[in-house]
């Protein structure tokens, strides 16, 4: 058998070029991690209703993750109701605050899969008859989709921030992120390795980045987040 070892070489799918070597498509493990994050959010949304606490939503998310072989998250699950929707930070744990009849639930989930990939997804759900919140969320989600459409392999983080921030400001939103960014880099075992998507980060974007505009308009806070894989020639939204 040793004599056949050179009959079929294992080769890269692309020719060498100077610069970033990154796969065209996202790793399957990353796709799975992000699918789990989205599934956990749906589990949290299924739990929410008037009178349900942030802690109860957090437990529903945890139940879903454990049922799908996820024992760890890389930062806490952020759950926001009422005034807490205006804070999304690793030190702000879910509380016993209950959802009101008209409210916004913000849910940000960060699973680590059994093989070590990290996911990251945020969604908001409007509770009750709350047209102003419906409009704010719909507008933010549209700006987010437009921002994702601008993603190009190797563009700088500051360029993407400028595009998104200009759209947010033009439609009356104020950025709420405490560090003044709309996202960050993400890798198995490391977030923020290439820092944040903000005005001062000129790092080229390759591999996985979490894009997460978090903003308020008319005192209503909303947030949405997706992962984008910046491949050699194309960007893929997970």
């Amino acid at each position: 058998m040793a004599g056949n070892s050179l009959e079929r070489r294992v080769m890269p799918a692309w020719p060498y070029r100077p610069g970033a070597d990154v796969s065209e498509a996202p790793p399957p493990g990353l796709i799975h991690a992000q699918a789990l994050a989205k599934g956990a959010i749906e589990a949290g949304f299924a739990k929410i209703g008037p009178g349900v606490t942030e802690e109860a939503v957090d437990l529903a998310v945890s139940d879903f993750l454990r049922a799908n072989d996820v024992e760890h998250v890389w930062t806490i699950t952020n759950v926001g109701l009422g005034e807490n929707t205006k804070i999304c930070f690793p030190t702000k744990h879910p509380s016993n605050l209950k959802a009101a009849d008209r409210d916004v639930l913000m849910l940000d989930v960060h699973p680590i899969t059994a093989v070590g990939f990290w996911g990251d997804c945020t969604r908001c759900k409007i509770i009750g008859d709350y047209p102003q919140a419906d409009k704010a969320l719909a507008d933010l989600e549209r700006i987010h989709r437009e921002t994702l459409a601008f993603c190009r392999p190797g563009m700088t983080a500051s360029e993407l921030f400028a595009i998104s921030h200009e759209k947010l400001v033009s439609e009356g939103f104020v950025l709420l992120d405490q560090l003044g960014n709309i996202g960050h880099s993400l890798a198995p075992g490391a977030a923020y390795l290439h820092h944040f998507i903000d005005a001062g980060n000129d790092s080229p974007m390759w591999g996985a980045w979490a894009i997460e505009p978090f903003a308020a308009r008319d005192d209503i806070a909303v947030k949405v987040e997706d992962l984008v894989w910046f491949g050699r020639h194309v960007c893929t939204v997970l």
Side-chain angles (χ1 to χ4, degrees), residues 29-174:
L30 182 65
I31 295 172
H32 180 57
Q34 192 63 357
L36 288 174
K38 292 180 178 179
I41 285 176
E42 290 303 317
F45 281 3
K47 183 72 177 180
I48 197 62
V52 176
T53 67
E54 293 174 350
E55 291 168 336
V57 173
D58 185 30
L59 288 175
V61 168
S62 295
D63 287 346
F64 174 89
L65 293 176
R66 288 200 311 276
N68 286 276
D69 301 322
V70 173
E71 291 294 334
H72 304 284
V73 292
W74 58 269
T75 186
I76 66 167
T77 297
N78 298 107
V79 186
L81 289 166
E83 286 297 306
N84 288 346
T85 58
K86 299 174 183 173
I87 305 170
C88 186
F89 207 71
T91 57
K92 182 66 174 176
H93 288 261
S95 73
N96 59 3
L97 182 65
K98 296 179 180 179
D101 291 337
R102 288 196 337 154
D103 212 330
V104 178
L105 168 66
M106 183 273 297
L107 187 52
D108 190 350
V109 183
H110 315 90
I112 301 175
T113 68
V115 295
F117 280 89
W118 293 17
D120 196 351
C121 187
T122 304
R123 295 288 187 268
C124 286
K125 182 180 178 66
I126 310 303
I127 301 166
D129 183 15
Y130 199 175
Q132 300 96 324
D134 287 331
K135 182 71 166 63
L137 180 58
D139 287 347
L140 183 81
E141 290 176 339
R142 174 177 46 77
I143 291 170
H144 180 59
R145 290 193 299 271
E146 292 170 355
T147 301
L148 296 181
F150 271 103
C151 290
R152 297 289 183 272
M155 71 186 302
T156 65
S158 58
E159 181 185 1
L160 188 62
F161 175 84
I163 291 168
S164 177
H165 191 244
E166 181 180 353
K167 289 178 177 292
L168 290 169
V169 171
S170 69
E171 300 211 23
F173 285 100
V174 175

Side-chain angles (χ1 to χ4, degrees), residues 222-238:
V222 284
K223 180 179 179 184
V224 62
E225 177 180 26
D226 286 289
L227 293 186
V228 175
W229 180 261
F230 289 76
R232 291 177 69 86
H233 301 101
V234 297
C235 290
T236 303
V237 180
L238 280 72

